[in-house]
Every structure is written in C-alpha cells, then in structure tokens.
Amino acid sequence: MTNIVVEEPQQASAAAALPRRRRWRHPRYYVTVAAFLAPSAIPLLLLVYYPMVQAMWTSLHDWNLIGPKKWVGIANYEVLLTDFGTARIFWHSAQYIIGYIPLVFVGGLAVALALNTALKGRNFFRGVYFLPVVTSWIAVSLVWKWLLNPHSGAVNTVLGWFGIEGPGWYIDPHWAMPSIVVASVWKDVGFVMVILLAGLQAIPAEIEEAAILDGAGWWRRLISVTLPLLSPTTFFVLIISLIGGFQVFDQAYAMTAGGPNDATRTVVLEIYDLTFRYGQAGMASALSMLLFVVILAFTAIQLVGQRRWVHYA
Amino acid sequence: MKHSRLLQIGVITAIAGLVAGCSSTTDDASSGPDDSAAAAPVTVTYSNFISNGGNEDNLDKIVAAFEKENPNITVEVTTLPYSDYFTALQTDLVAGTQADVFDIEFANYRSYVESGVAAPIQGVDTSKYRKALADSYATDGVQYALPTSFSTVVLYFNKDLFDAAGVDYPTADWTWEDENAAAAKITDKGNDIWGDYQPFTYNEYYKTVAQAGGSFLSADGSQATFNSPEGIQAAKFLVDKVGNTMPAAGDASTDSDADLFSTGHLAMWHTGIWMFNSMQEVPFNWDIVVEPGLTQQASHLFSNAVMVSANSKEIEAATKWADFLTSSPAMVEARLASSWELPPVADDAALSAYLTQGLPENRQAVFESLDGVAIAPSIGANQAQMADIVTKYLGEAAAGRMTVEEAVKKSSDEVQPLLPSK
Amino acid sequence: MPDLRMSGARTRTPQPGDEVQKEHSGRVGRVILIMAVSLGAVMMFFPFLWTVITSFSSGLGLSAKPSLIPQQPSLDAYRILFLDLPFARIIANSLAIALVVTFAQVLTSALAAYVFTRMPFKGRGVIFALYLATMMIPGQVLLVPQFVIMKDLGLIDNYLGVLLPSIATAFGVFLLKQGMDAVPRDLDEAAKLDGASHFQTFLRIVLPNTGPSIATLSIFAFMGSWNNFLWPLVILRSEEKQTLPLALAGLQGQYTTNWDVMMAGSVISILPMLAIYIFAQKYVVRGIASTGIK
C-alpha cells in the first residue's frame, strides 16, 4: 500500500539500518482501529460477506429459488467455462467499459476544470450538468431512444447535415452497445464532474498560483500540476468506473433488454435473467463468482499499479 | 333418578352430535382442526399484480364484498406492478414469507406446482369455471390453482383508414391472404400510415403455427415440431410484414404499437382485449374481429390464476378467498362494469353485460375467438428461456439478418434440449 | 500559514504581474469556454426539458415524436400523482429513509476512511481490499440472501429492514479516504504534539478539512437511497410504508404506459435531489469546515 511509502519513510530507512521488524504499537491502538472500523465492517460482514458466502454455496447447486436446492458440485462452473456464450457476455461488459470509461472521464474532467474556474453562472452550470445523474433510467432511456431513432432522431438528423449517414443505433447489433455507452456517458458526466471537482478544490490554490507565476500556460499547468495532484481522485474514479462498469445492468435492461440478438447482453443482465426468469439461481451464482474474480483481478492490478502514477500529498 | 339422568345425558350428547354434524356439512372448505375456530378472526394475505395500474378500486370492492360475507376474515392485499411481481414473489418463496394467496400466470403454473409451493385446492366446485381454464390449472386430476380472469387476442381495425383506402372491413372469414392484401393497399409509408401490426414474438408464433395447421410442440410436449412447412409459413407471415406493412423499430413516428394505433396511424392491430379501455377516446372509428387464420382459426387464451400457498397457516380461509375472488357474483360485476378482463366463469349468460360495455361494438368476437384456441405450450422451468430463444430468432429474421428458414431451424435446435423428456 | 480552508469557492489573491497573464488568455479563451460549456449544458438539459414538457402533456401517443410544446397541455399527470397517491406520506417515507441513510453512510465511512488514511498497521491493505471487494458482487445476487437474513431478524416490512443494507458502503469509505489523503499531515502532527487522541484528530482536524468529499458522499448516498427500487420492493409490504419509486412503478399498467404520469413522476423525483445537491454544495462544505480547528 502506498501508505508505507508516504507515511513511514523514516521507518523504511530505519529498517534498513536496524534489524527491526515492525513498529510496536500499544494494544489500545488496535482497539481504536477496530472501533473505527466496526460501524462499517459489521454491517458489511453481515449483509455482504455472509450473503456472498451463501452465493458461493448456492453456486454448487441447481436451484430455481422456489424449490429445494440440488447439489451439482462444480457442474455449473464446467458449463460456464466451456460455453462460448460466457466469454461473449463478458466481452459485452468489457466493450461497455472500453467505450465508457475514457469518454466519461475526459468529459467529466473537461467540465470539472471548466467549472472550477471563476466562470459566470458556474453554480448554475454545475446544477445543469448534474441533472442527468439524478434522472431515472426509465426517463433517460425513453429520451435517448428518441434521440437515437435511426430515421427521425436528432442525432442522425444532425449527422445528416454533415453528410454522414447515421447508423441504426439501438436497433443495429453493432451499434447497440455504443448507443448504451453514449447514453451512459451523457448521464454520468455530471457524476464524474462532481467527484473531480471535490478533488480539484482540494488542490491548494497557491500551488496553481505559483505555477502561473512561473509562466506556465494552462496546458502545461494541467499536465504538470493539476493532473498529478488530482491523481488520487482520478484513481478513485477509475476504480469505481471499472467496478461499476463490469456490473452494468440498468441501462442495458431499460434501453435494449439485452438485444438486439443479445448484442448488449451484459453479465449482470444474464445473472438477473438466470435467477429470476430462467429458474437457474445456482448457475447465476456461479457466474457472479466468475464476475467477482474478474473484477477483483482488474482492481488488484490497479491497486498495485497506483504506485507508479498516483501522487499522494 | 339415575335412569333419567342417563337419558338426559344421552339426549344432550345426541343433540350435540347432530349439531356438530350439521355444521361440518355446511363447511365449504376442507374441515379445519376445530370448527369453533371459524369464528375467531383470521387474516389472509393476498399478493397480486392483476389489479395494478387502474383496477385497485375494483379489487377493493371485491375484498369488501368478501369481508361482508365472512366477517371473521380480513384480507390484506399487496399489489405490485407486473414487471416486478415475480421477482418479489420468488424472493418471498425462498424466505417463506409469501402471501397465503398469490397471483400466478399460466406460464409459470407448471414449475410452481413441480416445486411444491401450491396447496391443492380442496372443497371448490371447479365446474363453475370455463372448462379450458379450470383444466389448464389442474395436474393429474388435482386442482392447484384457480383462474382469476382470461383474455384473448383479437384483430383491431381502424374503420376510417379502411374507408379512405376503399377496402372492405375484415370479417370473421378472412384468411392471412385477405389480411396481407388489405394491409398492402392501405400502407402509405410516406405518410406514416401502416397497414398491420403483429409482434413477432414467441406468443404470436405458437399461435400462428396453429393457424397454419401445424403445432409448436408434439402432443406429449417432448418434441419441438415447429420446424415444419407450417411453422415456416407462420414465421414468414409474421416476418414478411416487418418493413413492408408493419413498421420496423424506428420506421414509424413511434415504436409503441398502442400509440401508433391510438393516433390513427395503424389500420390493423393484433393485440389483446385488455386494450379496450385505453382506446375508448380515440379520434376515429374502430372495431374488432376474430383474427384471421390460414387453414384454421386459432386464438390465444391468456389467463391469470391464484394459488394457495402450501405453507399457509390459514389454508381454509385462504381457499375461501381464492374461491370468492375467482367466482363470486361480486367479482363478475366488478370486472364487467370496468372491462377489467373477463371473469373465468363458465356461464356465458353471466357475461352478457360485457357485450354492451362500450367500444368496440363487435365484442361478440371475443367469445367467437374462443371457438378455436391455440394450446399454449407449457414445459415447466425452461418456459421463459424457450420464449426468449424464439423471440430472438424471429427478431433476427425480421431485421433481415437471417432467413426465416434459418431462424426457425435455429430456434428448434435450441428449444429441443429445453423440453422435458417423456 | 496558508489558508487551507476547503471552501467551494476558489479564491485567488491577485499578485502584481499576473494582470498581463489574465489579459492574454482572458478574452478569447473565456468566450470559447463559455460557449463550450453552454453547448454541453444544453445537451444535458434538453432531455430533461422533454421530460418536463411530456409531464404537462396529455392524451395518447406521447411516445411519438417529442415536441417542445406540450401537446394537449394538462395537469392530469400531476393530479393523478398528488391526488390518487398518499403523496405526502410517500415523500415523507422516502425522505426520512434517505436522510438516515445519508447520515449513517457518512458517519460509518468517515470513521473507516480515517483508519485507511491515518492508522497504519500490518494487513491494512488487505482489509482495504476486502472493503473494496464488497462492491464487486452485483446487488441482484445479494438480494435473496439479504432478504432471508432480514426475515430471520424479523425486519420484513420494517423501515430498519430497508435501511440496514445501506448504512455501510465501501464506496463511501474509498471516497472519503481519497479526500482525507489530501489533508496535509502537518496538521495531524501539530495536534498530536498537543496531545490529541486519534479520535480528536479525526473529529477536529481531518474531518473538517474533508468537506467537499463529504458533501459529495452525502449527495450520492441520498441519491442511492432515494432512487432505490428493488430492495424496498421486496422488503416492504404495507401501503403506508411505500417509498416514491415503488409508488411510481405502481402507477404503470401491465400493458399500457402512461408516459405523462411516468415523466411527472420523474420530475417529482428529481426535484428533491437537485435541492440536496445545491444544499450540499453550499452548506455541507461550509458546515463541516466550521466544526474544525484551523
């Protein structure tokens, strides 16, 4: 963890000098740690980890929810890992992430930077950009299907002005996932903006001012000062977007219901259908275990890699 | 003295026995542990989706009438939207918190019975229901659910559009060819006028296969038999319309068929009788007719039902409520007065009020459509998966990404392993 | 000593010499900026505008081409919402639950975040990863087991049952940890020299300087609870405990969609959240900051 690098540089060098293992702490320290962690750890243990263990147990069974569970061992996993369809739904979730994360981050960053300056009406704009975030997916999906209507929608009409023939969007299997990505980016730019704004505001003003006095233009400042100091927040946005992106469900459910031709069938959509519509809760649990492992792997890579590019104060 | 005392005891015992005997024969549910407890207040919980979206008051009326007749029973109603109802129900079934009486639909009847969550319905005379309905909710001679309502699918048509194109109105003798011809004549894509709309989904498909003289599954339900000339013909009928006389997604001013019809842009519309209420105020003349078949008429018979929970602590009272909900005159009246689907009762005379409840005029067609019914395939746990597969491939054919023959073959290949082997 | 109060407004003390800087990048840059931001704002706002317009329309065929003028303008949709539903009760339910959840999440997350940022110990990274791992299981999978737990605790159809799964969140812990990491440690050291305990450092030093992050968490916690649908759906039974998303879903028919009512419901759902957003941006930050010692 980075805290080792930042927090205890003396310890590191001290450790190099003396054969001391770790710093001794009074037992009361650990009691304090436990007390601070308990209010969140206990609910999480009871209401997330315990159900997770149950889901693991369920994954070894065949279960339609309403009858008894039937032991099948690792049969569910065998089916999932040998069926090409499994790779395909993971690929769909991956497609979403590959499209969504860069776009929503760049968009959110641009807006956050713009609205962090002394711009007139800045608070108004912050409110407007946040509107889509608080709008429900039912309303958003209707509106976006209007916009992306291949024949009469605003998007294709505008493209037509530039002589581009717009694609079939949510009707075309190749464009359905991009449609969902576009709608999701639109909806979440405000979310990213809010988080990045909080991060930008934590950057002490004098550092920016010092850079300006040094004659750095805005691009230079951005690259050398702002972004590095913003990196903890950027890291946060990346991890959250990754974890959330792999679990994309609401928009795939509301806009395309997994279609057309299963082109937008994401992992969680499949899990939901398996559990509540196809009576295969055991298979669904096994699939969610696979998903968990995948997300964990990606997150672990990020956590380990943060040392390279995340600067903590 | 002793002698007369014995006589007194004997007489009293005899009278007591007679009284007990009388009251048990007037019980109309399976006799509970003690009849005297029938007077103790009892609460029956009922979870439903059938009243959601406008009929909550009607359900309240039925509940009030029931509670009046059974002063010791209180019915607690929970109403959920259809799209979320089964998620909640299944969650309840896992935890054992399901209501005493709960709604189901035909599609999941079989898997619920096989999982043992339904209590056999005892003490209810099922001959008062329409035979087709009562039978579809019985397994091996045991009644596991009672039908609450039924509905059918008919052909709606916009009289004004027919007049404008100079085409004769559809009649009960029409066939697919007549329908296609009329649709072709009326369709005017440039003006957003469409001749026909029929969803290319599993539900429509198994029906049109029957209309073409074929069958979706074999008689014992173990073989997929729709990859046949009739099955392909039916698929072609559904798919060829799309993009020609029927708008593909994005073609028309709206993707909603209901909105397309209600704004006067659609000449013929295959949909259920549940839409009657929404179409009362449309700005044009319309009516209905039995759906045209090809070699025979076959219509949908959709129904909902209620089950009594096998874990219920109040099976007697719950059964009484289920009985009342599905057959009482109060229910018939409430339903007919508001066109809230059709009561499942066998007595057609009781339904005569339905014929004069407002538009459409030709409500008789609803009953005519029951003359030929396409049996809905019921395969248990894999029902939803089967439906999704067929709908998906028909959609691919409709979008032109697959030929009809391919779509039918693929559906058949993927559905076959889902069928229970006999 | 630099003023490190983390307020919402970025103040910049003018220095001689940078007036020139302002002139250059000033005009043109500013105009382009405003135009770009406005264009983006229009794209953000337009769909919401449609939502509002549709909510004031009536009649059939509302899902057809959207227009900027209400077709057959009417207040029917709102009338249905306000009169046919026990509206005040529903809003009160949703509001009460959301406020409690927000408060609880901020509290539990802040306490845990403090450990991860200021209290090192062996294995802390593993525990942090375990916290993060709780976000990697989809809610749909947790739904049924959580429901059974609530039933065993006797919390079905109980406000507490609705709340419990939401009082702790790894998202909040992570967010606040990042925010607290940015609070300079010199302040901590100063407090420690004065003999402050961890709890006092937490309360008086670190927490007050995490205002923006706490405001952000408040907004998201409130939003999450306000919009929560699936969990209240399975756990609540009584009508008088209904929350807003449940009530709105209940208005949708099995076969028909009343777009005007749905959009009106959306609008009504959005307004309180916008209010919380504005409130949090202004007051939460200021309020949190004022509890601290600089």
Side-chain angles (χ1 to χ4, degrees), chain B residues 21-152:
Chain B
C22 279
S23 53
S24 61
T25 52
T26 55
D27 255 4
D28 58 350
S30 56
S31 46
D34 43 297
D35 283 351
S36 56
V42 156
T43 305
V44 168
T45 49
Y46 170 49
S47 71
N48 81 99
F49 61 85
I50 55 175
S51 69
N52 176 245
N55 287 303
E56 290 88 345
D57 291 340
N58 289 324
L59 183 59
D60 287 343
K61 283 195 199 129
I62 301 174
V63 169
F66 174 77
E67 289 179 342
K68 200 156 161 229
E69 265 182 45
N70 300 275
N72 60 311
I73 307 183
T74 314
V75 179
E76 261 178 33
V77 175
T78 308
T79 306
L80 291 174
Y82 172 76
S83 50
D84 308 296
Y85 173 82
F86 287 101
T87 306
L89 176 63
Q90 288 175 97
T91 311
D92 275 334
L93 287 168
V94 174
T97 52
Q98 70 272 28
D100 296 310
V101 179
F102 53 86
D103 275 1
I104 62 161
E105 50 178 8
F106 180 67
N108 42 41
Y109 164 76
R110 187 167 156 165
S111 69
Y112 280 26
V113 168
E114 283 170 2
S115 302
V117 300
I121 309 275
Q122 287 169 351
V124 173
D125 172 21
T126 56
S127 65
K128 57 190 174 187
Y129 303 107
R130 301 187 91 86
K131 184 157 193 324
L133 293 176
D135 288 348
S136 43
Y137 291 109
T139 309
D140 295 334
V142 180
Q143 194 74 25
Y144 284 103
L146 297 176
T148 44
S149 70
F150 74 97
S151 51
T152 71

Side-chain angles (χ1 to χ4, degrees), chain A residues 5 48 68 102 106 108 116 120 139 151 155 179 187 210 214 223 292:
Chain A
V5 175
V48 179
V106 170
N116 199 32
K120 256 205 204 355
H151 297 259
V155 173
S179 307
K187 190 172 192 302
D214 282 348
I223 303 288
F292 177 78

Side-chain angles (χ1 to χ4, degrees), chain B residues 217 221-224 226 379 382 385-386 389 409-421:
Chain B
L217 297 180
S222 65
Q223 291 292 319
F226 58 90
I379 63 171
N382 294 322
Q385 241 177 324
M386 172 177 77
I389 289 172
K409 176 164 195 320
K410 277 202 156 163
S411 303
S412 180
D413 289 344
E414 287 185 28
V415 164
Q416 185 60 49
L418 300 176
L419 300 175
S421 42

Side-chain angles (χ1 to χ4, degrees), chain A residues 3 7 47 49 129 232 247, chain C residues 37 124 130 146 178 185:
Chain A
N3 52 292
E7 285 248 281
L47 292 166
Y49 269 103
Y129 278 92
Q247 297 177 59
Chain C
V37 169
R124 181 172 72 166
L130 285 177
Q146 281 177 343
Q178 301 300 95
R185 285 153 215 266

Side-chain angles (χ1 to χ4, degrees), chain A residues 151 171 173 261 276-278, chain B residues 90 115 249-250 388 392 396 401:
Chain A
H151 297 259
I171 300 166
N261 196 18
F276 292 109
R277 295 187 63 234
Y278 298 162
Chain B
Q90 288 175 97
S115 302
D388 282 357
K392 175 175 80 172
E396 287 304 288
R401 289 190 283 266

Side-chain angles (χ1 to χ4, degrees), chain A residues 40-269:
Chain A
S40 52
I42 295 178
L44 287 177
L45 274 171
L46 177 67
L47 292 166
V48 179
Y49 269 103
Y50 181 45
M52 250 171 81
V53 168
Q54 286 187 311
M56 257 188 267
W57 179 243
T58 305
S59 73
L60 300 173
H61 295 76
D62 184 13
W63 190 34
N64 68 354
L65 287 184
I66 57 188
K69 293 189 189 164
K70 223 177 59 164
W71 173 265
V72 293
I74 58 168
N76 288 333
Y77 291 98
E78 283 176 341
V79 169
L80 286 176
L81 292 172
T82 54
D83 182 4
F84 184 62
T86 309
R88 207 166 349 111
I89 55 175
F90 271 96
W91 172 233
H92 293 151
S93 293
Q95 279 178 312
Y96 176 80
I97 289 176
I98 293 171
Y100 171 80
I101 294 189
L103 286 175
V104 85
F105 180 73
V106 170
L109 181 65
V111 178
L113 287 172
L115 297 186
N116 199 32
T117 61
L119 197 64
K120 256 205 204 355
R122 164 178 72 177
N123 279 323
F124 167 76
F125 281 121
R126 286 185 188 175
V128 170
Y129 278 92
F130 197 66
L131 261 181
V133 183
V134 296
T135 313
S136 76
W137 262 112
I138 304 176
V140 171
S141 66
L142 172 70
V143 165
W144 271 95
K145 282 165 95 161
W146 282 340
L147 288 171
L148 292 176
N149 188 312
H151 297 259
S152 52
V155 173
N156 276 5
T157 310
V158 168
L159 285 176
W161 296 342
F162 294 98
I164 309 173
E165 192 189 318
W169 293 114
Y170 60 90
I171 300 166
D172 183 334
H174 298 292
W175 287 91
M177 189 53 90
S179 307
I180 293 187
V181 168
V182 166
S184 305
V185 168
W186 172 85
K187 190 172 192 302
D188 290 345
V189 158
F191 175 90
V192 173
M193 171 198 79
V194 168
I195 298 181
L196 290 180
L197 265 177
L200 284 174
Q201 285 159 12
I203 297 178
E206 335 63 63
I207 299 190
E208 289 270 341
E209 281 154 25
I212 293 174
L213 288 179
D214 282 348
W218 69 269
W219 178 253
R220 198 78 237 283
R221 283 208 309 277
L222 182 67
I223 303 288
S224 310
V225 178
T226 315
L227 282 184
L229 286 176
L230 194 60
S231 54
T233 318
T234 306
F235 178 68
F236 173 79
V237 169
L238 206 66
I239 297 265
I240 294 295
S241 303
L242 201 70
I243 296 180
F246 263 116
Q247 297 177 59
V248 61
F249 173 78
D250 289 324
Q251 44 273 64
Y253 189 73
M255 276 190 80
T256 54
N261 196 18
D262 291 342
T264 55
R265 199 158 188 82
T266 61
V267 178
V268 178
L269 197 56

